Amino acid sequence: MNSKALSQSISALKANPARTVLTTLGIVIGIATVIMVLAAGAGFRSLVDQQLAAWGTDTLFVETRVPPTTKNRANIGASSADLSRATSTVQITSFKTSDLDELKKLGNVADDYGIAIGQAVASYRDNAKSVIYYGVGAEMFGIDKHTLQSGRFFTKAEDTGASQVAILGSNIAKDLFAQDDPIGKLVRVGNLNFQVIGIYAPQGALSGGGDDTLYMPLVTAQKKMLGINYIVVGVVQLKDVNLAEATAENIRQTLRRLHSINDPVKDDFSVTTQAQAMSTFNTIFGGITALLIAIAAISLVVGGVGIMNIMYVIVTERTAEIGLKKALGAKNADILGEFLIESVLVTVLGGILGIILGAILSWLVAVVAKASGLEWVFVVPFYAILIAVGVSGAIGISFGVLPARAAAKLDPIEALRYE
């Protein structure tokens, strides 16, 4: 890079600071948006990883599923994992705890547990709250990585004996008991009284509603609350997570045999590994990220066009100066280099300011996320900075080359005559 041309370009930018700032504004906004999107994406991915790790990275999920041949499939979708599906008019009742007992016999299955889901009003004294309750097998507590804030888990004996004990999500405990200690007290769920034996530590907004969920023994939920003998979700813990896909296929074959299903299309269940769940998330999040970056790219293009227009104005303003320089021996390449350097400097300056602004905005997003109870990690990925610098430099060259060439091609005699 010609040091004299660089010096002249810097002097030209300093001569009109207001115009320089306005010229870089579009680049600043575009780069800041890119940085913020990529930083927020990194933070969100970290959050999702934490949530998946809390459920156990060595697990897969078996959910009841309405076969495509069912006439009501359009109303309830394919999975019955949530309450709206579990209480749908179409019920899949073939998934039993006996199925889970058979799955435990598979070589790569370490343990499993079933889930039944319902909804009721939970109350304590004058406080009442509509809650979703999970009936879960006691095996959950050896698989699930969430921790208790106080109290204890229920035992296998309490599960098989249909004991009326409950573990509360942190929000339920706060809403019903306020400052009182819930442990040992009775909370009414529907028409039954349950003794509170544990309180979960806060799990965060992406826990699937865990903070607003009440947990009770599976048999209690089935026999005393719901009047059913089936489950809607099974969680399977694997011995070797590297064999997850093969184990998932073994589970499908086993359940087809137990449910007398000959055609996979008629499966009344679905099996999802953590890798498949993460792949689905990556696909969705990747599309959203691409959309946001595309929007930011529009801002960058607008900023680039603005730089090109301003550079044409600068060429017009300095036409006489260009003519004088060429008359004194400056070559076309010298004039081209000077204006191109000036254009690149403007965009690189915008890129640096955009990185700083994007980092500040990303930090604010992390602050807001943490204030909302999310375990958000603030990070500005290094590749985001490289992209920002590379894009800003490319824009400077791409949109600066035409005005620079126009300046270089000026006839020195005509340029000297320009007023």
Side-chain angles (χ1 to χ4, degrees):
M1 180 182 291
N2 190 310
S3 59
K4 185 176 180 180
L6 177 61
S7 176
Q8 289 175 338
S9 297
I10 293 174
S11 299
L13 294 177
K14 288 181 177 179
N16 199 329
R19 182 167 65 188
T20 300
V21 171
L22 292 174
T23 304
T24 60
L25 190 58
I27 301 298
V28 171
I29 294 173
I31 293 297
T33 303
V34 171
I35 291 292
M36 186 173 68
V37 168
L38 294 178
F44 190 70
R45 285 176 185 277
S46 175
L47 179 62
V48 171
D49 287 342
Q50 290 177 39
Q51 294 295 336
L52 289 177
W55 283 102
T57 56
D58 57 349
T59 57
L60 56 77
F61 302 92
V62 183
E63 304 174 70
T64 56
R65 169 181 177 272
V66 178
T69 54
T70 302
K71 63 180 179 180
N72 294 306
R73 65 187 180 276
N75 296 325
I76 70 170
S79 172
S80 303
D82 59 33
L83 181 63
S84 62
R85 295 165 183 161
T87 57
S88 169
T89 55
V90 178
Q91 294 286 356
I92 299 299
T93 63
S94 56
F95 192 20
K96 308 290 179 62
T97 52
S98 58
D99 293 333
L100 295 179
D101 293 336
E102 287 296 314
L103 296 184
K104 285 180 183 178
K105 298 176 182 179
L106 297 177
N108 194 41
V109 173
D111 207 350
D112 56 31
Y113 67 91
I115 302 174
I117 308 172
Q119 185 174 17
V121 174
S123 60
Y124 174 75
R125 293 181 179 173
D126 295 331
N127 298 324
K129 180 182 178 70
S130 179
V131 301
I132 293 175
Y133 60 85
Y134 278 23
V136 297
E139 297 86 353
M140 168 183 173
F141 308 120
I143 299 174
D144 179 37
K145 301 301 187 295
H146 292 108
T147 59
L148 290 180
Q149 182 174 288
S150 60
R152 66 175 179 85
F153 297 119
F154 54 78
T155 64
K156 181 66 175 176
E158 288 173 317
D159 180 15
T160 56
S163 296
Q164 291 174 207
V165 293
I167 301 173
L168 307 183
S170 58
N171 288 345
I172 294 179
K174 185 185 303 180
D175 292 341
L176 294 183
F177 293 89
Q179 301 302 319
D180 292 347
D181 182 7
I183 302 300
K185 294 184 172 62
L186 294 179
V187 60
R188 193 165 186 81
V189 184
N191 297 320
L192 300 178
N193 289 324
F194 286 76
Q195 183 180 38
V196 178
I197 62 171
I199 307 296
Y200 265 114
Q203 299 175 23
L206 290 184
S207 63
D211 292 334
D212 293 288
T213 301
L214 182 149
Y215 299 85
M216 64 180 66
L218 175 60
V219 178
T220 305
Q222 288 178 316
K223 292 185 175 181
K224 295 184 176 181
M225 296 293 293
L226 297 169
I228 61 175
N229 65 348
Y230 58 89
I231 56 179
V232 294
V233 180
V235 180
V236 179
Q237 184 181 39
L238 306 177
K239 295 177 182 178
D240 185 353
V241 72
N242 294 320
L243 300 176
E245 293 297 335
T247 305
E249 184 57 32
N250 288 339
I251 290 173
R252 293 185 188 99
Q253 293 175 3
T254 300
L255 291 177
R256 285 170 190 150
R257 174 176 55 82
L258 294 172
H259 296 181
S260 301
I261 297 173
N262 298 319
D263 184 358
V265 174
K266 297 181 180 179
D267 284 350
D268 56 3
F269 62 88
S270 64
V271 182
T272 306
T273 65
Q274 292 281 28
Q276 289 170 330
M278 199 63 192
S279 176
T280 300
F281 164 76
N282 286 335
T283 300
I284 296 172
F285 190 74
I288 295 173
T289 301
L291 176 62
L292 293 175
I293 291 179
I295 295 172
I298 294 173
S299 176
L300 289 170
V301 171
V302 171
V305 172
I307 289 173
M308 184 168 63
N309 289 336
I310 292 298
M311 291 305 297
Y312 271 121
V313 171
I314 292 173
V315 169
T316 302
E317 289 178 348
R318 292 161 58 182
T319 298
E321 176 189 331
I322 295 169
L324 181 59
K325 287 181 178 180
K326 297 189 78 171
L328 293 175
K331 299 179 180 179
N332 287 353
D334 298 327
I335 303 298
L336 176 67
E338 180 181 337
F339 281 90
L340 196 55
I341 289 171
E342 192 169 328
S343 175
V344 172
L345 283 176
V346 168
T347 52
V348 170
L349 174 63
I352 293 173
L353 294 176
I355 291 171
I356 296 172
L357 177 60
I360 293 173
L361 293 175
S362 300
W363 176 76
L364 290 175
V365 169
V367 170
V368 172
K370 289 182 178 179
S372 301
L374 301 177
E375 294 297 325
W376 195 275
V377 176
F378 167 63
V379 58
V380 178
F382 183 66
Y383 65 82
I385 297 176
L386 290 179
I387 291 173
V389 173
V391 168
S392 59
I395 287 176
I397 294 174
S398 301
F399 288 92
V401 68
L402 290 178
R405 286 184 63 189
K409 289 181 177 181
L410 285 175
D411 181 86
I413 297 176
E414 294 297 328
L416 286 170
R417 291 175 179 175
Y418 184 84
E419 294 183 1

